[in-house]
Amino acid sequence: MPETRKERYERNFADLLQELRVAQTGVQILFAFLLTLPFSSGFERVTPFQKDVYVVALLAAAGAAAMLIAPVAYHRVLFQRGRKAELVWSAHRLASGGLVFMLVAMVSAVLLITDFILDRWVACLLSAVTGVWFVLLWLVLPLLRRDDRDQPEKKPTVE
């Protein structure tokens, strides 16, 4: 028996919440690290450039946390109001925006740390590679696989 629209929205929201749990944990750990950084020894040695990168990383992590947690608050406000379709659509948009902020936070954190210990050009190169790696894994590969559902499932063979 095929699922109803309501069942599909319930399943989509449950799937999205599972995904958000993973993303929230990562951004919360990064945010906590960034919050403690100015109070650690050695932070007084950072350059103005590194302070700017730190602020970008901190604000991006805060933005990511806000957007990745927002679907929970959204659900609380719309709870039992028959608006699951709107909730799923909005939660999808918020999660996508949260991942963009998380990407900026992660790349900025890599830049901050690598610039502190390596030459700036090496830090910029490593940060660019990190950004490309995230975009490849989070966007390009999923988009390349997006139309594969029309193809018969390929089962791995054991030789």
Side-chain angles (χ1 to χ4, degrees):
M1 174 181 219
E3 67 183 350
T4 66
R5 259 181 88 191
K6 183 179 178 184
E7 290 170 335
R8 185 174 68 248
Y9 287 130
E10 292 290 338
R11 179 181 50 79
N12 286 342
F13 190 65
D15 290 348
L16 184 59
L17 287 179
Q18 288 294 87
E19 295 166 6
L20 288 173
R21 284 184 182 105
V22 173
Q24 285 172 352
T25 302
V27 78
Q28 288 169 342
I29 291 169
L30 176 60
F31 192 47
F33 163 74
L34 290 169
L35 287 174
T36 63
L37 201 55
F39 304 104
S40 63
S41 63
F43 193 77
E44 67 276 353
R45 295 182 306 171
V46 299
T47 67
F49 172 77
Q50 292 165 344
K51 284 182 183 177
D52 291 344
V53 172
Y54 169 78
V55 169
V56 169
L58 181 69
L59 294 177
M67 291 188 85
L68 293 171
I69 296 169
V72 175
Y74 206 111
H75 182 258
R76 287 294 89 212
V77 172
L78 295 182
F79 186 67
Q80 292 188 341
R81 294 193 183 262
R83 295 171 63 185
K84 188 67 80 169
E86 179 184 344
L87 175 62
V88 169
W89 184 86
S90 297
H92 163 70
R93 297 285 185 218
L94 288 164
S96 298
L99 289 174
V100 171
F101 274 110
M102 191 176 195
L103 169 67
V104 171
M106 297 288 262
V107 172
S108 298
V110 168
L111 179 57
L112 174 64
I113 294 167
T114 55
D115 190 66
F116 190 75
I117 60 175
L118 301 170
D119 289 336
R120 175 137 325 139
W121 74 270
V122 176
C124 289
L125 176 66
L126 292 174
S127 300
V129 168
T130 300
V132 168
W133 183 245
F134 273 79
V135 169
L136 178 68
L137 292 175
W138 288 5
L139 182 64
V140 174
L141 290 179
L143 286 175
L144 289 174
R145 299 292 306 203
R146 197 171 191 168
D147 293 329
D148 284 355
R149 71 181 157 147
D150 296 331
Q151 303 296 322
E153 190 173 325
K154 295 178 184 176
K155 295 184 180 175
T157 57
V158 178
E159 297 191 31

